[in-house]
Short mmCIF file of all heavy atoms in Angstrom, two decimals:
data_model
loop_
_atom_site.label_atom_id
_atom_site.label_comp_id
_atom_site.label_asym_id
_atom_site.label_seq_id
_atom_site.Cartn_x
_atom_site.Cartn_y
_atom_site.Cartn_z
N PHE A 15 59.57 150.78 90.21
CA PHE A 15 59.44 150.28 91.57
C PHE A 15 60.49 149.22 91.81
O PHE A 15 61.10 148.70 90.87
CB PHE A 15 58.03 149.72 91.81
CG PHE A 15 57.65 148.61 90.86
CD1 PHE A 15 57.89 147.29 91.18
CD2 PHE A 15 57.04 148.90 89.65
CE1 PHE A 15 57.54 146.27 90.31
CE2 PHE A 15 56.68 147.89 88.77
CZ PHE A 15 56.94 146.56 89.10
N GLU A 16 60.69 148.89 93.08
CA GLU A 16 61.65 147.85 93.47
C GLU A 16 60.90 146.77 94.26
O GLU A 16 60.26 147.08 95.26
CB GLU A 16 62.74 148.46 94.34
CG GLU A 16 63.77 147.47 94.82
CD GLU A 16 64.82 148.10 95.71
OE1 GLU A 16 65.00 149.33 95.68
OE2 GLU A 16 65.46 147.34 96.46
N VAL A 17 61.00 145.54 93.80
CA VAL A 17 60.38 144.43 94.50
C VAL A 17 61.30 144.01 95.65
O VAL A 17 62.48 143.77 95.45
CB VAL A 17 60.13 143.22 93.55
CG1 VAL A 17 59.60 142.02 94.32
CG2 VAL A 17 59.18 143.63 92.44
N CYS A 18 60.75 143.95 96.86
CA CYS A 18 61.50 143.59 98.06
C CYS A 18 60.91 142.32 98.67
O CYS A 18 59.97 141.75 98.14
CB CYS A 18 61.46 144.73 99.06
SG CYS A 18 62.18 146.27 98.44
N GLU A 19 61.45 141.92 99.79
CA GLU A 19 61.04 140.69 100.45
C GLU A 19 59.57 140.70 100.88
O GLU A 19 58.85 139.73 100.73
CB GLU A 19 61.93 140.46 101.68
CG GLU A 19 61.73 139.14 102.37
CD GLU A 19 62.32 137.97 101.63
OE1 GLU A 19 63.10 138.17 100.68
OE2 GLU A 19 61.98 136.85 101.99
N ARG A 20 59.13 141.83 101.45
CA ARG A 20 57.78 141.89 102.01
C ARG A 20 56.90 142.94 101.35
O ARG A 20 55.85 143.29 101.85
CB ARG A 20 57.88 142.17 103.52
CG ARG A 20 58.56 141.05 104.27
CD ARG A 20 58.74 141.35 105.74
NE ARG A 20 59.79 142.30 106.03
CZ ARG A 20 61.08 141.98 106.22
NH1 ARG A 20 61.44 140.72 106.17
NH2 ARG A 20 61.97 142.90 106.49
N GLY A 21 57.34 143.48 100.22
CA GLY A 21 56.54 144.49 99.55
C GLY A 21 57.29 145.15 98.41
O GLY A 21 58.31 144.66 97.95
N VAL A 22 56.77 146.28 98.00
CA VAL A 22 57.29 147.02 96.85
C VAL A 22 57.61 148.45 97.30
O VAL A 22 56.82 149.07 98.00
CB VAL A 22 56.25 147.04 95.71
CG1 VAL A 22 56.68 147.94 94.58
CG2 VAL A 22 55.99 145.63 95.21
N LEU A 23 58.77 148.94 96.89
CA LEU A 23 59.18 150.31 97.19
C LEU A 23 59.13 151.18 95.95
O LEU A 23 59.47 150.72 94.86
CB LEU A 23 60.62 150.34 97.71
CG LEU A 23 60.85 150.02 99.17
CD1 LEU A 23 62.34 149.99 99.46
CD2 LEU A 23 60.15 151.01 100.06
N VAL A 24 58.72 152.43 96.15
CA VAL A 24 58.74 153.42 95.08
C VAL A 24 59.35 154.70 95.64
O VAL A 24 59.42 154.89 96.85
CB VAL A 24 57.33 153.70 94.51
CG1 VAL A 24 56.71 152.45 93.95
CG2 VAL A 24 56.43 154.31 95.57
N ASN A 25 59.79 155.57 94.76
CA ASN A 25 60.30 156.87 95.20
C ASN A 25 59.18 157.73 95.76
O ASN A 25 58.02 157.59 95.36
CB ASN A 25 60.96 157.62 94.03
CG ASN A 25 62.32 157.06 93.69
OD1 ASN A 25 63.06 156.62 94.56
ND2 ASN A 25 62.65 157.08 92.41
N ARG A 26 59.57 158.63 96.64
CA ARG A 26 58.63 159.59 97.20
C ARG A 26 58.05 160.44 96.06
O ARG A 26 58.75 160.75 95.09
CB ARG A 26 59.38 160.48 98.19
CG ARG A 26 58.57 161.55 98.83
CD ARG A 26 59.37 162.26 99.88
NE ARG A 26 60.73 162.51 99.44
CZ ARG A 26 61.27 163.70 99.39
NH1 ARG A 26 60.58 164.75 99.74
NH2 ARG A 26 62.51 163.86 98.98
N ASP A 27 56.80 160.77 96.17
CA ASP A 27 56.11 161.62 95.18
C ASP A 27 56.06 161.00 93.78
O ASP A 27 56.07 161.72 92.78
CB ASP A 27 56.75 163.01 95.10
CG ASP A 27 56.63 163.77 96.39
OD1 ASP A 27 55.61 163.61 97.08
OD2 ASP A 27 57.57 164.53 96.72
N ASP A 28 56.03 159.68 93.70
CA ASP A 28 56.01 159.00 92.40
C ASP A 28 54.72 158.20 92.26
O ASP A 28 54.68 156.99 92.50
CB ASP A 28 57.23 158.09 92.25
CG ASP A 28 57.35 157.47 90.87
OD1 ASP A 28 56.48 157.73 90.01
OD2 ASP A 28 58.30 156.70 90.66
N ALA A 29 53.65 158.89 91.88
CA ALA A 29 52.35 158.24 91.74
C ALA A 29 52.37 157.16 90.67
O ALA A 29 51.76 156.10 90.83
CB ALA A 29 51.27 159.27 91.45
N ALA A 30 53.08 157.40 89.57
CA ALA A 30 53.14 156.41 88.50
C ALA A 30 53.87 155.14 88.97
O ALA A 30 53.44 154.03 88.68
CB ALA A 30 53.85 156.99 87.27
N GLY A 31 54.96 155.31 89.71
CA GLY A 31 55.68 154.16 90.25
C GLY A 31 54.83 153.39 91.24
O GLY A 31 54.81 152.16 91.24
N PHE A 32 54.09 154.12 92.08
CA PHE A 32 53.20 153.48 93.04
C PHE A 32 52.14 152.66 92.32
O PHE A 32 51.89 151.50 92.66
CB PHE A 32 52.55 154.54 93.93
CG PHE A 32 51.85 153.98 95.13
CD1 PHE A 32 52.51 153.85 96.33
CD2 PHE A 32 50.53 153.57 95.04
CE1 PHE A 32 51.87 153.33 97.43
CE2 PHE A 32 49.88 153.03 96.14
CZ PHE A 32 50.55 152.91 97.35
N ALA A 33 51.53 153.25 91.30
CA ALA A 33 50.49 152.55 90.54
C ALA A 33 51.06 151.30 89.86
O ALA A 33 50.44 150.24 89.87
CB ALA A 33 49.87 153.48 89.51
N ARG A 34 52.26 151.42 89.28
CA ARG A 34 52.87 150.26 88.61
C ARG A 34 53.23 149.17 89.62
O ARG A 34 53.09 147.98 89.34
CB ARG A 34 54.10 150.69 87.82
CG ARG A 34 53.74 151.40 86.55
CD ARG A 34 54.95 151.66 85.66
NE ARG A 34 54.52 152.29 84.44
CZ ARG A 34 54.74 153.57 84.15
NH1 ARG A 34 55.41 154.34 84.99
NH2 ARG A 34 54.31 154.07 83.01
N GLY A 35 53.73 149.57 90.80
CA GLY A 35 54.04 148.59 91.83
C GLY A 35 52.80 147.87 92.31
O GLY A 35 52.80 146.65 92.48
N LEU A 36 51.73 148.60 92.51
CA LEU A 36 50.46 148.00 92.92
C LEU A 36 49.94 147.06 91.84
O LEU A 36 49.52 145.93 92.12
CB LEU A 36 49.44 149.10 93.21
CG LEU A 36 48.11 148.69 93.78
CD1 LEU A 36 48.29 147.91 95.08
CD2 LEU A 36 47.24 149.91 94.02
N LYS A 37 50.01 147.48 90.59
CA LYS A 37 49.56 146.63 89.48
C LYS A 37 50.40 145.36 89.40
O LYS A 37 49.88 144.28 89.12
CB LYS A 37 49.60 147.39 88.16
CG LYS A 37 49.07 146.56 86.99
CD LYS A 37 48.94 147.38 85.75
CE LYS A 37 48.37 146.65 84.56
NZ LYS A 37 48.49 145.23 84.47
N HIS A 38 51.70 145.48 89.67
CA HIS A 38 52.58 144.31 89.65
C HIS A 38 52.10 143.27 90.67
O HIS A 38 52.06 142.08 90.37
CB HIS A 38 54.02 144.74 89.96
CG HIS A 38 55.00 143.62 89.91
ND1 HIS A 38 55.41 143.05 88.72
CD2 HIS A 38 55.65 142.94 90.89
CE1 HIS A 38 56.27 142.08 88.97
NE2 HIS A 38 56.43 142.00 90.29
N LEU A 39 51.70 143.72 91.84
CA LEU A 39 51.18 142.78 92.85
C LEU A 39 49.84 142.18 92.42
O LEU A 39 49.60 141.00 92.62
CB LEU A 39 51.05 143.47 94.20
CG LEU A 39 52.36 143.84 94.87
CD1 LEU A 39 52.09 144.54 96.20
CD2 LEU A 39 53.24 142.62 95.09
N ILE A 40 48.99 143.01 91.83
CA ILE A 40 47.69 142.51 91.36
C ILE A 40 47.89 141.47 90.26
O ILE A 40 47.20 140.44 90.23
CB ILE A 40 46.81 143.68 90.88
CG1 ILE A 40 46.41 144.54 92.08
CG2 ILE A 40 45.59 143.17 90.12
CD1 ILE A 40 45.78 145.87 91.71
N ASP A 41 48.84 141.71 89.37
CA ASP A 41 49.11 140.81 88.26
C ASP A 41 49.87 139.55 88.68
O ASP A 41 49.96 138.60 87.89
CB ASP A 41 49.91 141.51 87.16
CG ASP A 41 49.11 142.59 86.45
OD1 ASP A 41 47.86 142.58 86.55
OD2 ASP A 41 49.74 143.44 85.78
#
């Protein structure tokens, strides 16, 4: 994932990247 100013971006159709980005925010 990519950390941006107002959120996190992941590639299209990348459930693992989405989950890791979400976990990064939770952590």
